Amino acid sequence: MKTRATYLFCSDPLRPDRPDPGFAREAAAARATGARITLIDHDALCAGDTEAALTRVGGGSHAYWYRGWMVTADRYEALERSLAARGHSLLTGGAAYRAAHELPGWYTAFDGLTPKSVWCGLPAGTAPPAPPPAPAALARLAAPLGPGPGVVKDFVKSRKDEWHEACFVPQLTDTARLSAVVARFVELQDDFLAGGVVLRAYEPFVAGGEARVWWVDGRPVRVTAHPDTPGLVPSPPLDAVGEAVRRLGCRWVTTDLALREDGAWRVVEVGDGQVSGLPAGDDGEALFAALPAV
């Protein structure tokens, strides 16, 4: 008999015996595949209280997939330790989560398939928050990217909705402008800054949406629209990306691909599949059916 998959879903903050509304349809879809569902408190997890987060996790010995809102790599590792103390495990371990979730962890595996990038770490969660790098340090950091435009992000996210204010730099050799964009980005991210500052070479993409490819154990099990463009589902070639995914070695990951203006498909982002979003209207049943229990 096939062993049922087990999932940790985030609970509803107002009704903790139910899945978070943002994942309720997915939890129902996972149950429809025969999976077992356990709820955890995402707010408590993010606050560092893993014991409170896991009050609904019972005994036994289960290997869980996490499915819910993003958590920092540090909090995910704390979740892994607390589950282990209770006799449980995560099917994506803490090191693998960090590798897929944060750009420095996945960049080498995808080198040549993704825009050239450089980064520096910044302490997070400090009071007051860490200041951005000094202009001279940013100039040194940006130097390997050469002249031309670039984008600013942290190890996980950008602020593309504030494109000209806190994301796009028209000329990376314009240190004053680069410093202003980085400073504004760090200010807006505040306590949510993940890891540090990343500078990426800007690449122009055609207007056709991004394809989000879902990989399980190195196999592409689904291609969906990106949540930002739910009506557009491009069909990129996957051979080279699949090789990179297998080099990365993480069990459940996503890759977002876009078509560059010169006709080359590029990996825009890599993510841990447990915290990657599905497009609106997709309940994930086909995805959950592809996830093994071990």
Side-chain angles (χ1 to χ4, degrees):
M1 179 182 295
K2 183 179 178 180
T3 305
R4 293 190 299 169
T6 53
Y7 293 90
L8 296 173
F9 271 89
C10 296
S11 61
D12 185 336
L14 300 179
R15 294 178 291 183
D17 60 333
R18 300 185 183 186
D20 187 289
F23 291 92
R25 291 187 64 199
E26 290 191 25
R31 286 194 179 99
T33 69
R36 179 187 295 109
I37 303 299
T38 299
L39 300 178
I40 65 170
D41 187 330
H42 178 261
D43 290 343
L45 178 61
C46 289
D49 191 347
T50 53
E51 290 304 307
L54 298 177
T55 54
R56 293 183 175 274
V57 176
S61 180
H62 297 299
Y64 288 103
W65 296 110
Y66 171 73
R67 182 61 183 161
W69 304 115
M70 285 186 182
V71 295
T72 66
D74 288 344
R75 293 290 186 245
Y76 189 90
E77 290 164 356
L79 172 65
E80 182 181 33
R81 291 191 297 270
S82 292
L83 286 169
R86 296 167 179 251
H88 305 299
S89 62
L90 286 165
L91 289 166
T92 293
Y97 178 82
R98 186 182 292 273
H101 187 57
E102 298 184 343
L103 182 143
W106 59 259
Y107 180 77
T108 299
F110 290 84
D111 190 19
L113 299 173
T114 193
K116 190 173 181 181
S117 305
V118 293
W119 57 86
C120 65
L122 289 177
T126 58
L138 282 174
R140 290 192 297 270
L141 181 66
L145 300 181
V151 296
V152 176
K153 65 187 296 293
D154 64 20
F155 287 8
V156 177
K157 282 188 168 294
S158 69
R159 297 195 69 93
K160 59 186 177 183
D161 290 340
E162 295 95 3
W163 181 251
H164 293 288
E165 178 186 4
C167 187
F168 181 67
V169 182
Q171 179 52 258
L172 286 167
T173 56
D174 181 349
T175 302
R177 181 61 185 154
L178 173 62
S179 297
V181 172
V182 169
R184 183 59 174 153
F185 172 80
V186 171
E187 178 186 17
L188 291 173
Q189 287 294 88
D190 198 25
D191 291 341
F192 294 100
L193 182 78
V197 170
V198 174
L199 305 180
R200 309 199 80 190
Y202 171 76
E203 296 186 3
F205 298 112
V206 301
E210 295 177 14
R212 174 158 288 181
V213 186
W214 301 77
W215 304 82
V216 176
D217 292 331
R219 297 182 301 108
V221 298
R222 290 209 65 196
V223 179
T224 69
H226 189 280
D228 290 347
T229 53
L232 301 171
V233 189
S235 298
L238 299 180
D239 288 349
V241 180
E243 292 176 6
V245 168
R246 290 184 283 276
R247 282 195 297 270
L248 183 62
C250 300
R251 297 200 62 188
W252 181 13
V253 299
T254 56
T255 54
D256 295 340
L257 283 80
L259 184 62
R260 198 167 59 190
E261 287 183 353
D262 64 0
W265 283 96
R266 304 289 281 164
V267 175
V268 179
E269 195 67 72
V270 177
D272 182 274
Q274 301 175 113
V275 296
S276 297
L278 285 160
D282 191 329
D283 65 9
E285 184 169 352
L287 177 62
F288 296 124
L291 285 162
V294 293

